[in-house]
Amino acid sequence: MSKQTVSEIITQLGRVLLGKPEQIKLALACILAKGHLLIEDLPGMGKTSLSHGIAQSLGLSYQRIQFTSDMLPADILGVSIFDKDQAQFIFHPGPIFKQMVLADEINRASPKTQSALLEAMAESQITIDGITHPLPSPFFVIATQNPSEQSGTFPLPESQLDRFMMRLSIGYPNAEAELEMLKEHDQSPQVKVLPQCITQIELVQLQQEVEKITASDALLNYVLALVKASRVQNEGFGLSPRASKALLQASKAWAFLNGRSYLVPEDVQAVFSSVAEHRIRRSSQQQGAALSQKILSNVNPIL
């Protein structure tokens, strides 16, 4: 797979989410690292458009699930219904049986419904009535959530947050990008139809290339130093071993997107906040962001 193809994907997504090249690269890095993505921001920032654009560009089957306070786990996973003709229960798959699932406004659903995604995100399978059903491969969850300060939200528990490899905040567009939006003739809220850039086989090949990115022992020690600092500076509530693996994988994906076959400290620094913030914050998004920046500034790479 050529570097040009990856650049085409980034350029194409840039036409959907104007003025946000870094957020697009981080989202794509998360997918190439085989991770799930959490996008947290105000309504109307382009969270849904970005997720749909990624699915179209990568040729993945896609399903958007709107989470609400009255939603039940069966509304996501599916349900077994008794068939009189066959005299047995027949499983009817839910909307989660797609390669890319957008869990829109996930924190508006109850904790019981949120937990329905735990097994799916960790093991790419679900269990209904004691029977395990594998999910499509590849399988990704992109979840969006509104700020916890808004009404009608249920905070995601730490176990759920830890399932997301990365968290992004899109933020307001710059003046130039917003002016371009206003000049668009098509003002409909429908997501643009984008051409498929790669096949699923090629996507798997890209993920395999990411796995081949090498990291020196000194670089690995830098990753471990950051993880250790998060545990010390956050009073023991730091990054888990799963998070340390996620940090390494995300760093490899960032290096790959920048055309390198090896890791440098800048790769780790570029993705650290996105990997760490949602895992180490206690009460607010701002607290997690401040702490992640403090950790980065206090730990220097020794290479």
Side-chain angles (χ1 to χ4, degrees):
M1 180 60 57
S2 66
K3 183 180 178 181
Q4 181 180 358
T5 303
V6 176
S7 299
E8 290 174 358
I9 296 173
I10 295 174
T11 301
Q12 179 163 280
L13 292 174
R15 293 194 290 268
V16 175
L17 192 65
L18 300 178
K20 298 295 179 180
E22 182 178 358
Q23 285 84 347
I24 290 173
K25 280 186 66 175
L26 285 170
L28 188 56
C30 185
I31 300 301
L32 294 181
K34 303 180 182 180
H36 305 293
L37 177 65
L38 177 64
I39 308 178
E40 183 176 21
D41 219 319
L42 296 169
M45 292 293 190
K47 302 185 295 292
T48 303
S49 299
L50 175 60
S51 62
H52 198 181
I54 292 173
Q56 290 181 324
S57 299
L58 302 183
L60 302 174
S61 60
Y62 174 83
Q63 180 64 55
R64 174 180 176 269
I65 306 174
Q66 179 62 54
F67 279 60
T68 58
S69 59
D70 60 348
M71 177 176 282
L72 298 175
D75 297 326
I76 302 171
L77 306 180
V79 63
S80 295
I81 300 176
F82 187 76
D83 187 298
K84 293 187 296 183
D85 296 333
Q86 301 185 42
Q88 63 180 352
F89 283 92
I90 303 298
F91 176 66
H92 295 262
I96 200 172
F97 283 84
K98 296 292 184 179
Q99 292 172 318
M100 179 167 287
V101 174
L102 171 63
D104 208 3
E105 296 184 308
I106 187 174
N107 59 336
R108 293 202 177 277
S110 67
K112 179 179 180 179
T113 302
Q114 293 176 10
S115 65
L117 291 174
L118 288 175
E119 181 184 9
M121 295 174 66
E123 304 177 38
S124 296
Q125 65 180 33
I126 64 168
T127 303
I128 302 291
D129 298 329
I131 301 176
T132 298
H133 303 273
L135 294 171
S137 179
F139 175 74
F140 304 104
V141 171
I142 297 181
T144 71
Q145 67 171 357
N146 298 327
S148 57
E149 295 81 8
Q150 294 193 348
S151 60
T153 59
F154 298 87
L156 270 67
E158 287 78 3
S159 60
Q160 181 76 63
L161 287 171
D162 200 38
R163 295 299 196 280
F164 291 101
M165 174 177 283
M166 298 173 68
R167 185 207 71 90
L168 298 181
S169 179
I170 295 176
Y172 293 110
N174 57 40
E176 182 180 353
E178 197 158 11
L179 178 61
E180 187 175 346
M181 294 178 198
L182 295 177
K183 288 182 177 180
E184 289 184 350
H185 297 294
D186 183 10
Q187 299 296 331
S188 68
Q190 299 297 322
V191 178
K192 298 177 182 178
V193 177
L194 301 178
Q196 178 178 340
C197 295
I198 60 174
T199 66
Q200 294 176 25
I201 294 178
E202 290 171 332
L203 174 58
V204 173
Q205 291 174 347
L206 289 179
Q207 293 174 330
Q208 292 173 346
E209 290 298 318
V210 169
E211 292 283 353
K212 297 177 182 178
I213 301 294
T214 59
S216 65
D217 288 344
L219 198 288
L220 294 177
N221 286 328
Y222 177 50
V223 171
L224 291 176
L226 290 171
V227 172
K228 181 179 179 180
S230 74
R231 297 167 184 171
V232 172
Q233 298 186 26
N234 202 25
E235 300 177 3
F237 292 88
L239 299 178
S240 67
R242 179 193 289 133
S244 63
K245 290 183 178 180
L247 177 58
L248 179 60
Q249 286 301 110
S251 302
K252 287 183 176 183
W254 188 263
F256 176 79
L257 290 177
N258 285 277
R260 285 189 297 275
S261 60
Y262 55 90
L263 283 184
V264 296
E266 287 76 13
D267 297 321
V268 181
Q269 295 163 0
V271 302
F272 180 76
S273 294
S274 297
V275 173
E277 280 182 12
H278 61 292
R279 292 178 162 98
I280 60 179
R281 72 187 187 195
R282 295 288 192 84
S283 58
S284 67
Q285 176 180 330
Q286 290 76 11
Q287 183 193 49
L291 185 54
S292 67
Q293 291 302 314
K294 181 180 178 182
I295 293 169
L296 273 178
S297 61
N298 289 344
V299 179
N300 295 318
I302 303 176
L303 301 179

